[in-house]
Amino acid sequence: MSYDYLFKYIIIGDTGVGKSCLLLQFTDKRFQPVHDLTIGVEFGARMVTVDGRPIKLQIWDTAGQESFRSITRSYYRGAAGALLVYDITRRETFNHLASWLEDARQHANPNMAVTVIGNKCDLSQRRAVSKEEGEQFAKDYGLSFLETSARTSQNAEEAFIMTAAKILQNIQEGIFDTSNESCGIKIGYGRGQGTLGTSGTVGQTGGCCG
Ligand SMILES: Nc1nc2c(ncn2[C@@H]2O[C@H](COP(=O)(O)OP(=O)(O)OP(=O)(O)O)[C@@H](O)[C@H]2O)c(=O)[nH]1
Ligand SMILES: [Mg+2]
């Protein structure tokens, strides 16, 4: 299927926060109740439409366990977007967000669009982190924010699409050098000339990869 753009994503965050479940909900529209620990990195893909444009999302779902951290790090660099996930019922997963971000800052391209995700919002009776705290954290770091549930699918699709919309906006503003595929963006064959190209971003230099 043809697409205007392909965006590469990475999903990061502590073990057990629901990264793989969010991806499964997005690609297969189903929920996995048992924790199927990710070993290294898994992969998923799906087409979405943003602003009427067909966009293919290629998603790397990484292992949250500390022992896999060096493998995870090697996937940052080629990503245009990241979902940084915590579990609203486990405060320690929220407390670790800053260290995940620091890792991302060191290893990812500086214009990577990051969305902070407070997952498991269906478990509100066990909530340990308020929505306001999540929002404030994202605001402090200049990131997008959403609470989701991979179980009920609430906001699961929106999380991926919101990140794509941010990347598209960055392209339109000339922040991303789309000619450089190492930034995690690839221009599709299906894209007609003179549509988005009129914004003059294609082939523009300026560099996104630091
Ligand atoms: N109630 C509820 N449970 C969830 C939700 N998302 C994930 N879970 C459960 O949380 C556990 C961990 O989910 P995973 O998606 O495997 O976690 P992960 O972040 O991929 O973990 P690692 O692969 O070890 O990094 C599983 O038992 C899921 O069923 C959610 O939104 N609500
Ligand atoms: Mg996983």
Side-chain angles (χ1 to χ4, degrees), residues 19-20 36-38 61-62:
K19 299 180 295 298
S20 299
D36 191 3
L37 192 93
T38 302
D61 165 32
T62 69

Side-chain angles (χ1 to χ4, degrees), residues 52-66:
R53 298 177 165 281
I55 294 172
K56 184 171 181 173
L57 301 183
Q58 201 174 80
I59 303 148
W60 292 314
D61 165 32
T62 69
Q65 280 209 335
E66 184 66 39

Side-chain angles (χ1 to χ4, degrees), residues 13-22 31-39 61-65 119-123 148-152:
D14 279 9
T15 183
V17 296
K19 299 180 295 298
S20 299
C21 286
L22 278 169
F31 178 64
Q32 161 68 264
V34 179
H35 185 186
D36 191 3
L37 192 93
T38 302
I39 305 294
D61 165 32
T62 69
Q65 280 209 335
N119 188 43
K120 307 197 187 181
C121 70
D122 57 289
L123 300 176
T148 61
S149 168
R151 188 161 80 86
T152 68

Side-chain angles (χ1 to χ4, degrees), residues 77-80 108-112 170-171 174-185 204-210:
R77 193 121 180 104
N109 90 64
N111 295 312
M112 182 169 79
N170 284 348
I171 292 173
I175 291 170
F176 270 116
D177 173 10
T178 49
S179 64
N180 185 347
E181 282 185 17
S182 68
C183 296
I185 297 171
Q204 208 173 50
T205 51
C208 68
C209 294

Side-chain angles (χ1 to χ4, degrees), residues 148-164:
T148 61
S149 168
R151 188 161 80 86
T152 68
S153 84
Q154 189 184 337
N155 278 344
E157 189 154 319
E158 287 74 5
F160 289 89
I161 290 175
M162 186 192 232
T163 311

Side-chain angles (χ1 to χ4, degrees), residues 139-156:
K139 197 171 164 214
D140 289 347
Y141 286 90
L143 312 172
S144 311
F145 174 79
L146 216 51
E147 278 196 351
T148 61
S149 168
R151 188 161 80 86
T152 68
S153 84
Q154 189 184 337
N155 278 344

